[in-house]
Amino acid sequence: MSQTVTLTVPHPYDFMGNLRGHGWLVLEPYRMLEEGVERILQLASGKVVQLAITATPGEAATEVEAASSVALTAPEAAEVEQTLRTILRLDEDFSSFYAMCAKVGGSYAEAIGKGRLLCSPTVFEDAVKVVLTTNTTWNQTKGMTRRIVEGLGPALPSDPTRHAFPKPAAFLEAGEAYFKEVARVGYRAPALIGLAEQAATLEAFRNSSLTTPELRKELLRLRGVGPYAAATLLMLLGRYDYLAIDSEVRAFTAKRYFSGRVGSDAEIRALYADWGPWTYLGYALDWAPLDG
DNA sequence: TTCCAGGGGTAGA
DNA sequence: TCTACCCATGGA
């Protein structure tokens, strides 16, 4: 028994760009599919479902559908639809960003339809994953995330090797020792416990009336969250005012703009300052792997 | 061994 | 605001 939830998407819309804009789609409980992404999700009813999320074929997707592994009640189907709208950011308005891209031109002219970046169903999950990207390699981020999901997340009945993302309560129950000894997150363990303790506060950030600088200040109060993590989390909350300056940004801008010299954070920020509220995306669409 | 990865916390200037 | 140092882990 299975069921499909379908919803229409904004125009223009780049579905695969939405998924591949950053690394989230390869962090459990997401898994990359050839034409979309798979997600293990625990619904409010407690049911754990497997969703295969794909779009109508072609350049201009008009619909996204999630094929559930099991039948859903009406409230469960509505919850799946709302979750899709959240993780694909379908309700965000990018029109002023696209207008800016068209004005700037060049490679930015191809940005129309892009900008939506996959996020998690909960701010808590996004915050955990962002902390797991700090001061480590991408492979280790994937490993730490996988061990947390497999160790603490509720299992999918039809395939118990697959798990949904664990709830904050599971983090607290597992305790710091679990994260150090089993998940091997090292010194990040206390930060993850802190995020679990403040999960309710984190969720309120999704539709916060705070200004972006105010919200950034709140995020910076979280243990394990510094300038990079705060800027990344703001992006995941739909606020693109700040650049998440990490080793990759420094390396890219050094090569492209500073003749190999690593620019100061102020110099790097100045490169994208004209993008204003779209700064993060201004960089994201500038970035491209450089040869040599 | 040493370095460092999609940094952060702290102390001291 | 800036710099120096430490922080667990694991691959190069």
Side-chain angles (χ1 to χ4, degrees):
Chain A
M1 185 71 86
S2 64
Q3 184 172 336
T4 299
V5 174
T6 303
L7 61 165
T8 56
V9 297
H11 259 309
Y13 176 56
D14 176 358
F15 176 66
M16 292 311 288
N18 188 333
L19 299 182
R20 292 181 175 163
H22 67 142
W24 256 215
L25 89 161
V26 295
L27 294 182
E28 294 279 354
Y30 283 121
R31 277 195 192 178
M32 187 166 52
L33 299 174
E34 194 165 330
E35 297 185 340
V37 62
E38 182 188 282
R39 170 82 198 190
I40 310 298
L41 182 69
Q42 183 172 37
L43 301 171
S45 60
K47 187 184 288 184
V48 178
V49 300
Q50 180 177 33
L51 302 173
I53 304 165
T54 56
T56 45
E59 285 293 305
T62 55
E63 288 185 336
V64 165
E65 63 179 41
S68 165
S69 53
V70 296
L72 304 170
T73 65
E76 288 171 343
E79 185 181 350
V80 167
E81 177 172 345
Q82 185 51 52
T83 301
L84 286 180
R85 302 201 74 81
T86 298
I87 65 177
L88 298 175
R89 330 278 287 270
L90 297 181
D91 296 324
E92 286 183 30
D93 179 8
F94 287 86
S95 53
S96 76
F97 173 60
Y98 296 154
M100 208 164 165
C101 287
K103 195 172 175 184
V104 172
S107 61
Y108 286 106
E110 296 172 14
I112 313 301
K114 300 183 188 297
R116 298 174 204 279
L117 297 170
L118 183 70
C119 71
S120 303
T122 65
V123 181
F124 169 65
E125 180 181 328
D126 274 335
V128 167
K129 287 177 171 175
V130 169
V131 166
L132 294 180
T133 65
T134 58
N135 195 27
T136 189
T137 60
W138 186 244
N139 270 334
Q140 290 201 72
T141 298
K142 286 195 281 187
M144 289 186 277
T145 305
R146 181 176 48 75
R147 290 189 290 274
I148 289 170
V149 170
E150 290 181 352
L152 300 178
L156 180 70
S158 60
D159 179 0
T161 68
R162 306 296 309 282
H163 303 260
F165 197 82
K167 301 260 183 247
F171 276 60
L172 298 177
E173 194 176 334
E176 207 174 296
Y178 176 89
F179 288 94
K180 286 182 177 170
E181 293 159 19
V182 183
R184 301 202 298 282
V185 304
Y187 65 89
R188 301 172 189 82
L192 299 188
I193 297 297
L195 293 176
E197 287 170 344
Q198 302 201 57
T201 303
L202 291 171
E203 297 318 314
F205 290 156
R206 177 88 73 190
N207 295 306
S208 170
S209 59
L210 293 177
T211 66
T212 303
E214 289 170 340
L215 191 48
R216 177 173 182 271
K217 194 173 288 183
E218 292 301 308
L219 291 170
L220 288 172
R221 292 172 60 182
L222 298 167
R223 182 164 188 174
V225 175
Y228 155 81
T232 305
L233 275 168
L234 285 172
M235 174 277 284
L236 291 163
L237 290 166
R239 299 173 187 242
Y240 306 94
D241 310 55
Y242 293 92
L243 202 54
I245 300 179
D246 56 19
S247 57
E248 196 170 297
V249 173
R250 293 191 177 95
F252 171 76
T253 54
K255 188 166 283 188
R256 174 165 290 188
Y257 297 107
F258 302 124
S259 306
R261 175 181 64 84
V262 176
S264 69
D265 286 6
E267 287 175 318
I268 293 172
R269 278 195 295 272
L271 293 172
Y272 302 97
D274 288 348
W275 288 94
W278 301 108
T279 295
Y280 188 104
L281 295 177
Y283 166 78
L285 294 173
D286 189 31
W287 181 87
L290 295 177
D291 295 329

